[in-house]
Amino acid sequence: HSVNGVAALHTELMKQTVFADFHKLYPDRINNKTNGVTPRRWLLECNPGLTGLIREAIGDGFMDDAEKLTALVPFADDSSFNERVGAVKRANKEALAAHLRTHMGIRLDPAALFDVQIKRIHEYKRQLLNLIETVALYDQIRSHPERDWVPRVKIFGGKAAPSYHNAKLIIKLANDIARRVNSDPSVGGLLKVVFVPNYNVSFAEKIIPASDLSEQISTAGMEASGTGNMKFALNGALTIGTLDGANIEIKDHVGDENIVIFGLTADEVAEKRSNGYNPREIIEGSRELQQALSAISSGVFSPDDKDRYKGLIGGIYDHDWFMVAADFESYSEAQRAVDQRWMDPTGWQAAAIRNIANVGWFSSDRTIAEYAKEIWGVM
């Protein structure tokens, strides 16, 4: 009697594509129930420092009704609260840095921007786009040491299906890039790359409260919803993302100025695929992209096997189904805009607080209540 999608964009796409005939027969049957996350685990339990500050500011009501977090909105412009939220974030980053030093032997600067992409490894989620831009940034830092670069820590984590060859290769690439970048004294403390092993929920509870930037960069039209974006925003990370999945609804709730959007829309992706998209032309028109792809495919990061990534990069030249080349320039520009925002700590922290205040709607309590009332008929 009811068929539901888990993000508004996904639901509309299902009506137009997979279930188009079904939707014509039953135009009222397909509906949307946007995913949510439990604030009891993803705020109260994993981030007690931030929870304590929120309780002092607005009381305990949000603990039973996450949408009451909107009472925090005026505090975004309160300099004292701003500083205290920043101090909690810094403490969380120090705790994560200590954990990674103990378990991985890597030293990270908690003052750096912690830029995080933790999710299942899949080509449509585009960890590869993030890694290619990381290589381009690495090249730029080495070529222009005179610039005022924002120190970054790029943190990756996630698992891949055992038979998914390209996903496994992307994990290998992340580790190869990390090995090269982290041992290069010419970039100093300006760039570090970490692929955390054995990623799981317990590890996520350490990483998410320590994150400054949340990477939600899937090819538009391919993410059914995602919930990591909600967890990050609830803990005061700014989202850099495409207009895909629940990113669209997060943008609507937090405001355009408190999120960083880039890239093709779902309609533009579909149009490119249907009209004979030529990725090679885009690659040859972008010096940074061309250099990054060349470095990866020629074995700069895999001296033990120079051909390791030829096939992976060749796929971008040949068909680029996931629009990595198509979105590279927009993504790169968005990352440099993030750098500029980071250089204004007060403004950054105010945007982070507005994210926390406006994502209470993405509670699983709201989602389940909608199921109970509109699908199950038990409320």
Side-chain angles (χ1 to χ4, degrees):
H1 72 280
S2 177
V3 179
N4 70 281
V6 289
L9 175 67
H10 173 250
T11 304
E12 291 308 308
L13 286 172
M14 292 301 98
K15 290 178 182 178
Q16 297 165 21
T17 58
V18 177
F19 299 128
D21 292 339
F22 181 86
H23 181 57
K24 287 177 185 174
L25 286 172
Y26 304 102
D28 298 322
R29 191 163 294 188
I30 298 176
N31 63 90
N32 170 235
K33 299 289 172 281
T34 298
N35 273 338
V37 299
T38 171
R40 287 166 290 284
R41 177 169 295 276
W42 295 111
L43 178 60
L44 276 61
E45 184 173 321
C46 77
N47 202 341
L50 179 59
T51 300
L53 286 184
I54 296 172
R55 292 179 71 184
E56 285 182 38
I58 64 172
D60 294 345
F62 76 97
M63 299 172 73
D64 291 319
D65 180 358
E67 293 193 56
K68 290 183 178 177
L69 283 168
T70 54
L72 273 179
V73 170
F75 288 87
D77 299 316
D78 182 313
S79 59
S80 175
F81 188 77
N82 189 302
E83 289 175 11
R84 293 173 73 194
V85 171
V88 167
K89 178 68 76 174
R90 174 63 182 248
N92 290 337
K93 292 169 73 174
E94 289 173 352
L96 177 61
H99 181 86
L100 292 174
R101 182 178 176 185
T102 299
H103 291 85
M104 296 185 66
I106 186 169
R107 291 174 179 266
L108 304 177
D109 180 5
L113 191 159
F114 278 23
D115 176 351
V116 181
Q117 187 175 17
I118 48 172
K119 54 180 73 254
R120 183 167 49 88
I121 312 297
H122 197 294
E123 286 169 282
Y124 87 80
K125 291 179 182 288
R126 298 200 297 190
Q127 285 89 355
L128 186 55
L129 173 61
N130 192 346
L131 288 168
I132 292 167
E133 202 279 328
T134 300
V135 171
L137 176 60
Y138 173 57
D139 286 343
Q140 287 294 304
I141 292 173
R142 290 192 304 158
S143 301
H144 300 283
E146 76 284 356
R147 292 183 186 172
D148 190 17
W149 296 103
V150 168
R152 277 197 190 228
V153 175
K154 304 280 289 189
I155 299 174
F156 296 85
K159 299 177 182 180
S163 61
Y164 194 166
H165 176 75
N166 276 0
K168 295 290 189 183
L169 207 54
I170 288 166
I171 294 173
K172 184 72 172 172
L173 176 60
N175 282 281
D176 280 345
I177 292 171
R179 191 174 300 109
R180 172 67 180 262
V181 170
N182 297 346
S183 62
D184 188 341
S186 70
V187 297
L190 294 176
L191 183 62
K192 295 286 185 183
V193 182
V194 183
F195 190 97
V196 297
N198 303 317
Y199 173 70
N200 56 24
V201 169
S202 297
F203 214 150
E205 288 182 284
K206 292 181 174 66
I207 297 172
I208 290 172
S211 301
D212 296 304
L213 187 67
S214 163
E215 298 270 354
Q216 308 296 331
I217 60 175
S218 55
T219 310
M222 300 199 71
E223 181 73 83
S225 174
T227 57
N229 47 8
M230 305 168 192
K231 297 166 190 171
F232 280 103
L234 186 61
N235 282 273
L238 269 61
T239 300
I240 181 170
T242 52
L243 289 173
D244 193 35
N247 288 351
I248 297 169
E249 287 141 295
I250 289 177
K251 180 179 79 75
D252 291 342
H253 279 80
V254 306
D256 292 359
E257 67 281 5
N258 299 307
I259 190 171
V260 181
I261 297 295
F262 75 94
L264 300 171
T265 65
D267 288 343
E268 288 167 342
V269 169
E271 184 181 352
K272 274 190 176 293
R273 286 175 175 164
S274 62
N275 291 340
Y277 163 56
N278 181 10
R280 190 175 294 271
E281 184 179 329
I282 291 176
I283 294 166
E284 291 173 354
S286 170
R287 184 179 177 185
E288 282 190 24
L289 177 57
Q290 196 169 21
Q291 287 178 338
L293 293 178
S294 175
I296 296 168
S297 64
S298 65
V300 168
F301 299 95
S302 55
D304 58 318
D305 180 2
K306 290 188 176 295
D307 293 334
R308 181 178 293 152
Y309 303 113
K310 276 193 174 176
L312 185 67
I313 300 305
I316 298 176
Y317 275 90
D318 294 340
H319 50 82
D320 192 26
W321 180 255
F322 299 101
M323 300 289 157
V324 171
D327 272 349
F328 175 82
E329 286 295 334
S330 179
Y331 179 56
S332 182
E333 289 172 7
Q335 290 286 19
R336 302 294 71 80
V338 166
D339 287 341
Q340 291 299 312
R341 294 187 71 150
W342 181 255
M343 294 171 75
D344 172 18
T346 302
W348 181 283
Q349 203 57 56
I353 293 167
R354 292 187 186 103
N355 269 264
I356 298 165
N358 288 302
V359 294
W361 184 82
F362 295 93
S363 167
S364 54
D365 296 347
R366 186 268 314 156
T367 308
I368 294 164
E370 288 183 0
Y371 272 81
K373 183 178 181 181
E374 299 172 24
I375 296 178
W376 305 330
V378 295
M379 279 183 71

